[in-house]
Amino acid sequence: MSLKTVVLEERVDPNIIGIDYARLEALCNIPGLESNETTASDEAHRAFMKSYKDIFIRPPKPLPGIPWIEDNNKRGEKQGEASEEKASGRKPKMTASGGGNRVFHGPLISQMLKVAKKYPVERSPAEHQLMLSALKLFPVLMEQIDPPELRYISRMVMIESWDRGHMIFGTSGFYIVVRGSVRPCRNTQSAEPVNLPVIGAGGSFGTLEACEESDSDANCVLTQEPCEILKIPHGSYAKVRKELQGQDFALKQNLVQQCSFYHDWPRLSVQKVANLLQMKTFPAHHVLVKEGRVCPFIAFIHKGECNILQDIGTVMKLAKRGRINCVVVGQLGPLESFGEVSILTDQPSPCTVVTQTPVQAGIIAPDKLKELDSVTRSLMRQSAKPTCGKLTEEEISKQYVRQERQKEWEHVKKTVLSDSLYYNGILPGIGKWTENRSKKTH
């Protein structure tokens, strides 16, 4: 019995690296489990079941790493300031943050130091991915750089090695201390220290963008020991931002140009509309426009599909206890737009638009639309057409009957399938039948 138990346990737990034979022998010699006895006593059985797992040798569990400890209030303030600077377009000020003298001993940081000393053109795709993963470990970097920017920057950054007593000027880029520590000082020949804490591993100084404030207290630092410092130059960051902005504008311009209402528009007018676009993602089954109300925005669909619905409660008089019945009268897909006529003429929408799948679209709010010149607005009013017109009672009746028959047929198919599975002894969720089908109710 004991040997059979050992084999089963080995199959269940692949992390077993051996067997403690001393404990196995003691387990086999429990009174009441001798081979000459036909049945085991209850006490012997309980003692065996309680201690048989101790005979297996498992590898020791690794100790958890030291977490990064940071004041949540200070971090929230930094994130708020960074978001305000990005929203307002102001240049960030020269900053210096201490890392609490944290020393990184993780394998990922060690590998990053080796890879970062290579020129970017010499790195393999796997090494670029390793650099990206390592940079995400620095909260001070994630607070100031968006994920798309970080992916590009990870392919440009390099590590600089400095000996003790060297002065580093923070006016040429953004620096992160990976190993060692530095002390802020004034930009003088005497390296006069300032009343700021020492910047340890994980801390930062400098700025991502060129700053005109030359009298800042954090414009240079003095190395206190041999240091490994990661540098993001102003030129590299500016190049990344310019490239991403160009890609974003090209996407918006192509989105407007490919929509059916804007095929024949001049390039200058398309660029004016594209400058106002703001990309946004909506979840499935989200109401974008309600019937009888002015559209909240003009939308250019990039990905996803939407259903166009019309209320038939007042026409068909089939509403169930206050529930509004709607009929699907059309669909909107990629490279289609809606909302122009409703906003430009200030008229309520004749239909409801609901997302069928997650939708990514470029939107223009009514207040942003006022920034367009009168010629472009007139051109948009002439080119655009209503999303859908009001259907007649006969059309609504036919469409409603068609959809109700389809719903009834889907319900019949689901009921027959559920009954067939139930009466043949196949129950969803039991055995290999794990699909989430609706169970038969009695």
Side-chain angles (χ1 to χ4, degrees):
M1 180 180 68
S2 60
L3 293 177
K4 187 179 296 184
T5 307
V6 170
V7 173
L8 289 175
E9 181 68 18
E10 287 181 345
R11 290 179 181 175
V12 173
D13 191 352
N15 295 325
I16 295 174
I17 61 175
I19 297 177
D20 189 342
Y21 290 96
R23 292 188 179 183
L24 177 61
E25 184 177 358
L27 191 67
C28 294
N29 294 329
I30 294 178
L33 291 180
E34 286 78 4
S35 58
N36 56 358
E37 297 186 8
T38 57
T39 58
S41 62
D42 294 339
E43 294 182 0
H45 179 71
R46 286 194 295 269
F48 177 85
M49 296 301 296
K50 184 178 180 181
S51 57
Y52 85 94
K53 294 182 179 180
D54 297 336
I55 67 174
F56 303 111
I57 302 175
R58 294 178 173 83
K61 295 182 179 180
L63 295 177
I66 301 176
W68 285 30
I69 302 174
E70 186 172 355
D71 190 353
N72 293 331
N73 296 330
K74 293 182 179 179
R75 185 174 179 180
E77 293 174 359
K78 292 179 182 178
Q79 290 178 345
E81 294 175 358
S83 61
E84 290 178 0
E85 289 176 352
K86 285 187 176 182
S88 61
R90 300 193 307 268
K91 293 180 180 179
K93 296 182 178 180
M94 187 83 65
T95 58
S97 62
N101 291 329
R102 291 186 292 260
V103 181
F104 304 104
H105 297 287
L108 186 59
I109 298 297
S110 300
Q111 294 176 15
M112 183 199 73
L113 289 173
K114 295 179 181 179
V115 173
K117 292 180 180 180
K118 298 181 180 180
Y119 288 106
V121 295
E122 298 177 352
R123 300 172 191 168
S124 64
E127 290 175 337
H128 284 304
Q129 185 63 34
L130 184 144
M131 287 293 299
L132 176 62
S133 302
L135 292 180
K136 291 180 180 180
L137 299 178
F138 296 93
V140 67
L141 196 60
M142 297 297 296
E143 291 169 2
Q144 303 187 50
I145 298 180
D146 296 330
E149 295 177 353
L150 185 64
R151 179 174 293 277
Y152 278 83
I153 287 176
S154 65
R155 299 174 178 270
M156 300 179 179
V157 296
M158 294 189 66
I159 289 289
E160 296 181 350
S161 299
W162 296 84
D163 293 332
R164 183 179 181 274
H166 282 267
M167 185 178 294
I168 307 173
F169 295 93
T171 56
S172 60
F174 185 73
Y175 298 81
I176 300 177
V177 181
V178 182
R179 297 281 171 85
S181 61
V182 297
R183 180 181 293 277
C185 62
R186 295 190 182 277
N187 186 9
T188 61
Q189 296 295 333
S190 59
E192 178 186 353
V194 296
N195 189 19
L196 289 175
V198 174
I199 302 174
S204 63
F205 61 94
T207 178
L208 285 169
E209 296 183 1
C211 185
E212 297 177 358
E213 300 178 6
S214 59
D215 57 345
S216 175
D217 288 339
N219 60 351
C220 62
V221 297
L222 186 67
T223 57
Q224 302 294 299
E225 54 184 305
C227 298
E228 301 282 351
I229 300 179
L230 185 144
K231 179 183 178 181
I232 303 176
H234 290 158
S236 299
Y237 182 68
K239 181 180 178 181
V240 167
R241 292 198 63 182
K242 185 177 181 180
E243 185 175 351
L244 289 177
Q245 289 173 359
Q247 292 178 1
D248 184 61
F249 181 76
L251 172 65
K252 295 177 180 178
Q253 182 177 348
N254 184 65
L255 178 60
V256 176
Q257 187 75 59
Q258 293 298 322
C259 288
S260 58
F261 300 151
Y262 305 88
H263 280 319
D264 300 327
W265 271 39
R267 188 179 185 85
L268 181 60
S269 299
V270 172
Q271 291 177 353
K272 292 179 180 179
V273 175
N275 282 326
L276 303 179
L277 279 186
Q278 179 184 1
M279 300 305 295
K280 192 172 182 180
T281 302
F282 300 94
H285 311 297
H286 181 80
V287 179
L288 300 179
V289 182
K290 289 186 178 180
E291 182 178 350
R293 298 183 183 180
V294 178
C295 293
F297 47 76
I298 297 175
F300 298 82
I301 301 176
H302 178 53
K303 296 179 181 178
E305 295 181 351
C306 300
N307 287 330
I308 304 175
L309 310 176
Q310 277 196 350
D311 175 23
I312 61 171
T314 56
V315 179
M316 299 296 297
K317 297 181 181 180
L318 294 174
K320 300 179 181 179
R321 298 181 181 179
R323 179 184 176 184
I324 300 177
N325 286 324
C326 295
V327 60
V328 179
V329 297
Q331 282 189 333
L332 292 171
L335 305 181
E336 291 185 305
S337 63
F338 63 88
E340 297 95 337
V341 177
S342 177
I343 293 180
L344 291 174
T345 60
D346 197 22
Q347 294 181 357
S349 174
C351 56
T352 300
V353 180
V354 182
T355 59
Q356 183 180 359
T357 62
V359 171
Q360 183 183 15
I363 64 173
I364 303 177
D367 55 343
K368 287 287 186 180
L369 196 63
K370 297 178 181 178
E371 300 178 8
L372 287 177
D373 56 90
S374 58
V375 176
T376 306
R377 296 185 62 177
S378 299
L379 183 61
M380 182 179 291
R381 189 183 297 109
Q382 295 173 7
S383 303
K385 297 179 182 179
T387 305
C388 68
K390 276 290 185 181
L391 300 180
T392 63
E393 294 187 12
E394 182 180 359
E395 292 173 338
I396 291 179
S397 177
K398 291 181 179 179
Q399 189 72 8
Y400 179 80
V401 170
R402 186 183 303 111
Q403 292 185 15
E404 289 298 316
R405 286 179 177 176
Q406 183 66 23
K407 291 180 182 178
E408 183 178 358
W409 170 237
E410 293 292 338
H411 177 70
V412 170
K413 288 196 297 183
K414 185 180 293 185
T415 303
V416 171
L417 178 61
S418 178
D419 291 344
S420 300
L421 293 174
Y422 179 79
Y423 288 113
N424 284 278
I426 302 174
L427 301 179
I430 299 178
K432 64 180 181 179
W433 304 95
T434 56
E435 294 188 25
N436 187 16
R437 299 190 181 95
S438 59
K439 295 185 178 180
K440 182 179 177 60
T441 57
H442 296 282

